[in-house]
Structure formats: C-alpha cells, structure tokens
Amino acid sequence: MKHGAAACPSPKIQYLCHLLEQVIDLADSGVIILGTGREVVSWNAWMSRHSGVSEEDAIGRTLEQLFADKLAPRLLTAISDCLAHKRSHLLSSSLNRQPLPLRNPSDQTSEGAVIQQAVTVKPILTIHGERHCLIQVADVSQAARRERFLRAQTNELSRLVDELETAKDAANRANVAKSEFLTEMSHELRSPLNAIIGFSNLIERGQTGPLSNEQHEFVTYIRKSGDHLLRMITDILDLSRIEAKKVTLDFVNIDIDYFISESIMSVKGLSHARDIVVSYAPPECTLPTVRADRTRLGQILLNLLANAIKYNRFGGGVIVSSGMPMLNRVRISVSDTGPGIPLERQHELFQSFNRLGAEFGEIEGAGIGLALSRNLANLMGGTVGFESRPGEGSTFWVEMPTSGPAPAPNPIDKDDVAPEIPPLPPFTLLYIEDNPVDRRLIEALFQTVPGARLISARTGEDGLRLARQQQPDVILLDIHLPGISGFKTLKQLRAQAETVEIPVLAVSASAHSTDIANGISAGFHSWLTKPIDLTDLMAVLSSILADTGPFKGIPKDIPEEI
C-alpha cells in the first residue's frame, strides 16, 4: 500500500507506518482513503483483488475516474457529505445496486461474482489537520446468501403453516360433518331397529303365541342380528367421539375382583352357546382398586372376553387373571385356547374395521372393538396389549392405574337370560309417538301385561289433550314429534296443574350422553334409547308405580330444544 502523502519524518514513525501498511494490506476488507480533492491516497490489496484496479493505477485518481458510471450515486453523495460536513454514513447491500463494482475473483458464478457490500464512509484528519475520507468495504455476500436462504425458508415455512391450517380446518370440517352424519345415521337406524329387536323379543318370549322350534330359531337369528347391528352402531359412534375428543369420563374407584366376576357373568350366555368354560384365577394377594370410568372399563373387558369366546375353538377355555406387573398398575388378562394370530398380521390388530380375514368366516363382528378398547384405555391413563402364539392361543390385557384399597361388594349372580316382566299394579300409560310401527310395538307388549291400559297419541298437541282428559299414571313421550317437540310437550305438561305430577319417560333414538343428561335435567323421569329394551321399560314402570308419593322431578328450566 502506498500513500500520496509525504514520507514519515522519523525512523520510529517510518517503522510504525510500515507495520500499519501491512496490517491494512492483510485486512479481509477493503480500505480506501480519499484526499481533500476526492483523490485516492490509500488503496489496500483487498481492493486491488476485488476491483481489478492495482494500487499504482488507483493512487491519485478519483473513484469516478476509476469506475465511471458504475458507482452507486448514494456512495458519491456520502463521500461529498463526509468531506464537506464531517458526517459518517453506512451503506448496506439491501438495495439492488452495490456501492462499488466489486467482484469475487474466486467465484465466477452469476450469483457469487458480484460482492454484496456493507460500506462505511467516515471523516478522518491528517496530522496537518486536512480532512480526508475513510471508506471501509466489508464483503457480506455470505451473510446475504444466508439471509436470502433464511427468508426463503421462512416463506416456505409460512406457506406450509398456511397449508397446514387449511388442511386442519378442512379436517375439522370433515370431522364435524362425519360426526353429524354418524349421529343422524344412528338416529335413522335406531328407529327401525326398535321394531326389529322389539317385535322379535315379543315373538321370542312367546307373547304372540307358541312357536315351533324352527320358528324360534329363526326369530332368535333376527333378534341377535339386530343386537349385533346395534352394538356396531354404538361402537362406531364411540370411536367417532374419541377421535373428536368428545368423550366424557366419570372416574371412580373400582374393585377388580368384583368387577371381573360381574363381567364374566355378563358373557355367560355367549360362553355356554360355544361350550367354552370361562374361569377366573384371582391373585394370591388383594389388589388395590383402579381409577377408571366403570362403564368404559366394563366395555373394554367385555370386548376382550367376547373376542376370547368368539374366536376360540368349541369346547375351549378362557382364563381371566389379574395382577400388578409394575407399581401402581393393575393388569387384567384374558387368555384363550384359540388358533392365535399369525405373526405377519399382528401389527394390523388395532386397526379400525380390520378383522384380519375373519370377515370371510361365520363369526360376526365389525373390527372396531379392539381399536375402540385401546383408545378408551388410553383416555383413562391405561393401555391395552396382547401376546399371541399361533396354534396355541392369545392373551389380551388391559392395564389401569391404581387408586388405593376399597371394600369389595358381594357379587350378584345373574344369567345372560332376560328376566321375566315384573308384575305391575293396574295402570294407564299414555304413549305419545308419531311412528306407527313403534306405537304398534308398545301396544303388542302391553296387550300381554295384566291390568295395563294403553292410550296413544301421534302428536304433542293430542298428547296434552289426552293427558288432561285421561289422567294417565305414566307418560311415554317421544322427543322428535311433528309440531311441538317432546321437550316443549314436557314443558306444557309441567305448566298445567292437572298433569304436573305425572312421571314422563323420554323415548329417543339419540344415545348421546349430552342429550340424555339434558333430558334428565329438563325433568324427564328416565331416558329410554331406541331400540327400547322392553325389560328396562317394565323395570322403570315397576319402580314408578311402586312409588305412591307425588312426582318430584319438576325442574325450574326446561330447554326448548336439544
């Protein structure tokens, strides 16, 4: 680096000047010093390499003479302001045109050749008080490329987030549409199932006359098929609610020994039909209670038991056991003597609607139970797992967190056979229902009940009139009626002195827990879901008719609609 200024006056200063020249030449940035007439008085090696102008050619000439019109006007303005008014400037590379026409000699690509620059322009004074201009040029090409890359990545990420939000919104709309569709389909399917299961129950009980063995066999097939379809509808709705995170759980402490014994009794009829012995091997020590939703845990265990029976060999066995595989966890295991599950298909086991080829056999099912059971267990802080040995059998288990010891109630023995209809005192029942098939079913049922008097109405308006005139002991009220709905009918029944104390039972194809809770809080004595379980209906009637006191279920507020 050479200077256009006078030589250093002393050896010491000459020595320091020589070191300073080396430092400037070795700098990784450009250094230019302009004199009072804008001429170059200092030009380091970095500038020579990146401008193509040697130090000898640069000294004594102005930047305008060196680069003509290739200079950015903003640089010339900054130089003038620096020399005239002693102001500093920072010129970034954010604009398209760079301050100086500099190129990278080692990078000949179209993008890398032009150097992205950050230029500072500062006033300095010589030893004689002359004003000069110091220009420092930093190569920020790599930082600019990083910035462009990050900007592009940010834009791409923003685009992906937008796409994800769009997809999420579409998925949410699809889930809502699916839930609405399943709820509507459930309602539409439960209404005809009410007739299929109800009439087949009446015929199977012999209430329409004696049956031949073949007739009894056929009507049993009809009833069982209806029951299977109802279970499948319920399972699909449950699975949909879990996916939509709309499942409500009621956690209680559950005694395992009693719970298992109760569940085994519930599958007694199914096990007898296949000549399968279901036994319970209790643990040597008393297990702590588990914290779970009793209905949902029962749903899981009954599914495991039913599968162990259905997919077992005739005359086989099922062993239920319980224990603690780890601290604070209780496991209920169900082992069968069936054919086991092929190794190559075990990974498909918990896929919804996948029956692993069993759909081609005679065993009924929809392939929902295990997926539903695992999801329910996960919601309660538990898990469902299995082990299977092809040719030997399978063991499925459910694990749940413990809650602590609790006294166990005494198990109650019961068969899987519907009990007889309890004897009832003479009574009048008003049935308000617009579906003629459902009305005919209830009429057929009560034709065989001694002392029962049934009157029917098709609309809420007719029902209100008959309730005032006939003063029935109980009203059976469908929720979805033409004209005024079941809820509005209930509201008017409660508003009239003649009917305010009559117990009202709701009948609906809606099985959603929210609808049922709303119905009970609105003042219905009970909520019966279609298909109506005739035994449940008679049990509720028996309970109501045995109560001689006035009805206490009058609410303050009854919703207009659900």
Side-chain angles (χ1 to χ4, degrees):
M1 181 185 70
K2 297 179 181 178
H3 299 278
C8 297
S10 69
K12 182 178 180 180
I13 293 179
Q14 289 180 11
Y15 171 73
L16 292 175
C17 285
H18 177 70
L19 289 179
L20 182 59
E21 287 176 356
Q22 292 185 71
V23 169
I24 294 175
D25 269 340
L26 292 173
D28 287 333
S29 60
V31 177
I32 307 171
I33 299 177
L34 302 181
T36 55
R38 302 170 70 102
E39 77 281 5
V40 175
V41 298
S42 180
W43 187 270
N44 74 341
W46 190 94
M47 284 299 302
S48 296
R49 287 195 306 271
H50 294 86
S51 68
V53 178
S54 67
E55 183 181 8
E56 289 77 9
D57 291 339
I59 297 297
R61 303 174 68 184
T62 65
L63 294 180
E64 292 94 321
Q65 291 172 336
L66 293 173
F67 300 114
D69 59 351
K70 296 179 181 179
L71 292 172
R74 57 194 175 114
L75 175 60
L76 298 176
T77 301
I79 292 171
S80 299
D81 195 43
C82 174
L83 291 172
H85 304 291
K86 297 190 294 184
R87 293 195 184 101
S88 298
H89 293 268
L90 172 62
L91 310 180
S92 70
S93 63
S94 58
L95 300 178
N96 291 331
R97 187 171 182 180
Q98 299 301 316
L100 289 158
L102 304 179
R103 301 178 71 84
N104 188 345
S106 62
D107 189 346
Q108 297 304 316
T109 63
S110 59
E111 180 183 8
V114 176
I115 293 178
Q116 306 290 311
Q117 306 156 37
V119 177
T120 57
V121 180
K122 297 180 179 179
I124 57 175
L125 293 176
T126 67
I127 193 172
H128 303 296
E130 296 174 337
R131 190 178 298 165
H132 283 27
C133 184
L134 171 64
I135 301 175
Q136 294 173 289
V137 184
D139 184 354
V140 296
S141 301
Q142 192 172 17
R145 282 194 291 271
R146 282 197 299 268
E147 183 182 353
R148 287 196 299 272
F149 174 76
L150 289 175
R151 189 181 298 115
Q153 292 297 307
T154 301
N155 292 338
E156 177 65 11
L157 182 60
S158 178
R159 184 186 65 81
L160 291 175
V161 168
D162 290 342
E163 288 184 359
L164 184 60
E165 288 294 330
T166 301
K168 182 181 177 182
D169 290 342
N172 288 337
R173 289 194 299 272
N175 275 332
V176 170
K178 181 180 72 172
S179 297
E180 291 175 351
F181 170 76
L182 290 175
T183 300
E184 182 65 24
M185 287 304 297
S186 169
H187 183 277
E188 294 301 321
L189 289 172
R190 284 176 183 274
S191 294
L193 276 176
N194 187 50
I196 295 170
I197 296 176
F199 281 116
S200 60
N201 263 322
L202 287 177
I203 298 172
E204 193 177 18
R205 291 174 186 271
Q207 290 180 232
T208 59
L211 302 175
S212 67
N213 290 338
E214 186 178 48
Q215 288 172 331
H216 191 275
E217 178 186 5
F218 289 170
V219 77
T220 300
Y221 285 148
I222 295 172
R223 195 257 307 161
K224 286 184 175 180
S225 296
D227 289 340
H228 168 60
L229 183 56
L230 179 60
R231 285 193 300 272
M232 187 171 70
I233 293 169
T234 302
D235 285 349
I236 291 174
L237 280 177
D238 280 343
L239 198 59
S240 174
R241 288 168 188 152
I242 291 173
E243 291 175 352
K245 296 182 173 60
K246 292 183 178 179
V247 174
T248 302
L249 300 175
D250 181 20
F251 285 91
V252 296
N253 295 339
I254 301 174
D255 176 73
I256 290 302
D257 281 340
Y258 171 64
F259 189 75
I260 292 175
S261 300
E262 190 180 47
S263 299
I264 290 175
M265 294 305 299
S266 297
V267 296
K268 198 173 185 181
L270 180 62
S271 63
H272 284 174
R274 295 181 62 84
D275 194 23
I276 290 174
V277 177
V278 181
S279 58
Y280 176 38
E284 295 180 358
C285 59
T286 302
L287 294 176
T289 59
V290 298
R291 188 75 173 164
D293 182 293
R294 176 179 291 276
T295 300
R296 296 304 187 179
L297 183 57
Q299 192 175 350
I300 295 171
L301 184 53
L302 287 176
N303 179 261
L304 299 186
L305 286 168
N307 284 350
I309 295 169
K310 289 193 303 181
Y311 297 102
N312 211 327
R313 56 181 173 82
F314 276 90
V318 173
I319 297 177
V320 184
S321 59
S322 58
M324 296 185 68
M326 63 182 71
L327 188 65
N328 300 326
R329 304 283 285 188
V330 170
R331 174 182 289 187
I332 305 173
S333 300
V334 180
S335 302
D336 63 57
T337 56
I341 302 166
L343 292 174
E344 66 275 10
R345 303 210 65 176
Q346 290 186 8
H347 69 282
E348 306 174 43
L349 197 57
F350 292 96
Q351 296 175 359
S352 300
F353 304 103
N354 189 343
R355 298 189 63 204
L356 279 63
E359 62 271 22
F360 302 112
E362 297 179 356
I363 301 173
E364 66 180 24
I368 306 171
L370 284 177
L372 177 60
S373 295
R374 170 172 277 187
N375 287 334
L376 287 173
N378 291 341
L379 285 176
M380 294 186 289
T383 185
V384 170
F386 77 100
E387 293 176 352
S388 186
R389 300 164 299 282
E392 297 181 25
S394 304
T395 297
F396 284 80
W397 68 79
V398 55
E399 280 184 15
M400 298 302 298
T402 61
S403 56
N410 294 324
I412 300 174
D413 237 2
K414 61 178 180 180
D415 284 341
D416 194 35
V417 179
E420 293 296 321
I421 295 175
L424 300 174
F427 68 97
T428 298
L429 173 70
L430 169 60
Y431 185 26
I432 307 174
E433 168 67 70
D434 63 309
N435 188 317
V437 177
D438 290 345
R439 289 201 308 273
R440 183 67 185 91
L441 171 62
I442 297 301
E443 289 170 3
L445 170 65
F446 284 98
Q447 283 174 358
T448 62
V449 178
R453 175 174 172 256
L454 178 68
I455 52 178
S456 300
R458 194 183 69 83
T459 65
E461 293 85 350
D462 290 343
L464 290 169
R465 177 178 53 79
L466 286 174
R468 290 191 299 269
Q469 293 175 354
Q470 301 292 329
Q471 289 292 295
D473 298 284
V474 184
I475 296 175
L476 197 58
L477 175 60
D478 184 53
I479 294 298
H480 301 283
L481 293 170
I484 62 172
S485 69
F487 280 96
K488 290 181 179 178
T489 302
L490 175 66
K491 189 172 184 178
Q492 294 191 32
L493 287 169
R494 293 288 171 256
Q496 298 174 7
E498 308 99 305
T499 57
V500 66
E501 293 183 358
I502 301 176
V504 182
L505 311 182
V507 178
S508 174
S510 174
H512 199 286
S513 58
T514 302
D515 292 341
I516 296 174
N518 286 336
I520 298 302
S521 65
F524 285 105
H525 181 283
S526 301
W527 183 284
L528 301 175
T529 301
K530 295 180 181 179
I532 298 175
D533 187 299
L534 301 181
T535 302
D536 287 348
L537 171 59
M538 301 308 293
V540 172
L541 291 176
S542 177
S543 173
I544 292 173
L545 296 172
D547 184 5
T548 56
F551 176 59
K552 303 296 185 182
I554 304 173
K556 294 181 179 179
D557 297 305
I558 299 177
E560 292 295 322
E561 293 288 348
I562 295 296

